[in-house]
Amino acid sequence: MSLGQELAPHLPFLRRYARALTGSQAHGDAFVRATLEAIVASPDEFPRDVDPRLGLYRTFHAIWSTANIEEGEEPQREYSGAEGIAQARLSRITPLSRQALLLTALEGFSSEDASYLIGASPSDVESLVAEALSEIERQTHADVLIIEDEPIIAMDIETIVRDLGHNVTGVAVTRDEAVSQARQHPPGLVLADIQLADDSSGIDAVKDILAEFSVPVIFITAFPERLLTGTRPEPTFLITKPFQRSTVKAAIAQALFFDAATVPAA
């Protein structure tokens, strides 16, 4: 099997990680593209003593670390929009902490694997994750709409959201109900399944909501392949069922991290 064939199954998830890390599909995809170009240019330098996925993420981190603003260094230009929000909040938390959080909670790497990827000890990774969650949760607060037709899963998600200090405006089980609730109580964040109770689509519900409101969306689904197709648009934030509570918490924190509508939590 060629190196390209070994890496192909992992690319959709690297794109997911890169987009969550940067808060932008365009920027995240650009880093992934640079990673692939580096591998193609110097295939002999690709880490072959580890799992291909680890090697892929390690190469990505080498690219990311050279482009990222060092702690304490001032940006070279002013930012606006989502980019400006990200820069303002990034000034309060080190990039290394956010990488540790995403790698373990969103991507499912162990502390040992994450330590290899970012060059820190496993205990340091655990400390970085705790630091990132604490700071990001302190900075953000939102009204959340949940679109989920399975009662037990919906209750679990609602508990997670409330435990993080956010307000749940409603739980919708169909496309029409989701759109109606969004109009009644405009959400600051949407958590959506893609297959709903009446065979309607959570994807269509989200499209309808985004046509009227600018709001970050996290898809939580047992069918990630329906969304990670390699074609545009793809979601920035995607969680696969069955999920870990820590994964949902990390995704919520990251989605709100880049959103202007969130306010500092009391």
Side-chain angles (χ1 to χ4, degrees), residues 127-236:
S127 297
L128 288 167
V129 169
E131 173 188 312
L133 281 173
S134 176
E135 180 57 31
I136 293 175
E137 290 168 10
R138 188 187 68 78
Q139 291 185 48
T140 57
H141 177 78
D143 291 330
V144 181
L145 171 62
I146 299 170
I147 308 173
E148 171 60 65
D149 65 326
E150 293 289 341
I152 293 177
I153 296 176
M155 289 175 59
D156 194 19
I157 295 173
E158 183 174 1
T159 299
I160 294 170
V161 170
R162 294 192 187 280
D163 285 348
L164 289 174
H166 306 300
N167 178 49
V168 176
T169 61
V171 178
V173 299
T174 68
R175 174 185 180 179
D176 291 343
E177 189 176 320
V179 174
S180 175
Q181 290 194 23
R183 287 172 177 161
Q184 292 176 19
H185 303 285
L189 174 68
V190 175
L191 304 180
D193 192 1
I194 66 173
Q195 189 166 299
L196 303 179
D198 60 348
D199 290 327
S200 61
S201 168
I203 298 173
D204 291 335
V206 166
K207 287 180 179 178
D208 291 343
I209 292 170
L210 292 179
E212 300 185 36
F213 308 99
S214 177
V215 56
V217 176
I218 299 172
F219 282 101
I220 304 178
T221 176
F223 308 99
E225 67 279 0
R226 297 185 186 178
L227 293 167
L228 294 174
T229 61
T231 60
R232 294 173 183 268
E234 287 184 344
T236 299

Side-chain angles (χ1 to χ4, degrees), residues 3-223:
L3 179 57
Q5 290 173 315
E6 290 183 69
L7 299 181
H10 307 300
L11 292 179
F13 301 99
L14 180 63
R15 289 201 304 273
R16 174 182 68 179
Y17 171 68
R19 292 169 182 179
L21 186 64
T22 62
S24 162
Q25 178 171 328
H27 291 174
D29 288 355
F31 277 110
V32 172
R33 185 164 53 252
T35 299
L36 296 178
E37 289 171 351
I39 294 172
V40 170
S42 304
D44 292 341
E45 296 181 11
F46 184 83
R48 300 299 291 183
D49 57 340
V50 295
D51 179 84
R53 185 178 183 227
L54 270 178
L56 178 62
Y57 278 66
R58 176 71 177 230
T59 305
F60 170 87
H61 272 276
I63 302 293
W64 163 258
S65 63
T66 59
N68 201 25
I69 298 174
E70 295 295 332
E71 184 177 2
E73 183 179 331
E74 292 298 323
Q76 296 302 307
R77 62 182 177 85
E78 293 187 1
Y79 296 85
S80 61
E83 200 171 13
I85 298 162
Q87 287 299 323
R89 286 178 171 158
L90 278 170
S91 67
R92 296 187 178 186
I93 183 171
T94 64
L96 201 60
S97 295
R98 292 182 50 245
Q99 291 172 51
L101 172 66
L102 287 171
L103 287 170
T104 55
L106 190 64
E107 296 303 309
F109 285 109
S110 65
S111 295
E112 289 74 18
D113 285 345
S115 70
Y116 166 78
L117 293 172
I118 65 176
S121 70
S123 61
D124 285 342
V125 167
E126 294 174 1
S127 297
L128 288 167
V129 169
E131 173 188 312
L133 281 173
S134 176
E135 180 57 31
I136 293 175
E137 290 168 10
R138 188 187 68 78
Q139 291 185 48
T140 57
H141 177 78
D143 291 330
V144 181
L145 171 62
I146 299 170
I147 308 173
E148 171 60 65
D149 65 326
E150 293 289 341
I152 293 177
I153 296 176
M155 289 175 59
D156 194 19
I157 295 173
E158 183 174 1
T159 299
I160 294 170
V161 170
R162 294 192 187 280
D163 285 348
L164 289 174
H166 306 300
N167 178 49
V168 176
T169 61
V171 178
V173 299
T174 68
R175 174 185 180 179
D176 291 343
E177 189 176 320
V179 174
S180 175
Q181 290 194 23
R183 287 172 177 161
Q184 292 176 19
H185 303 285
L189 174 68
V190 175
L191 304 180
D193 192 1
I194 66 173
Q195 189 166 299
L196 303 179
D198 60 348
D199 290 327
S200 61
S201 168
I203 298 173
D204 291 335
V206 166
K207 287 180 179 178
D208 291 343
I209 292 170
L210 292 179
E212 300 185 36
F213 308 99
S214 177
V215 56
V217 176
I218 299 172
F219 282 101
I220 304 178
T221 176
F223 308 99

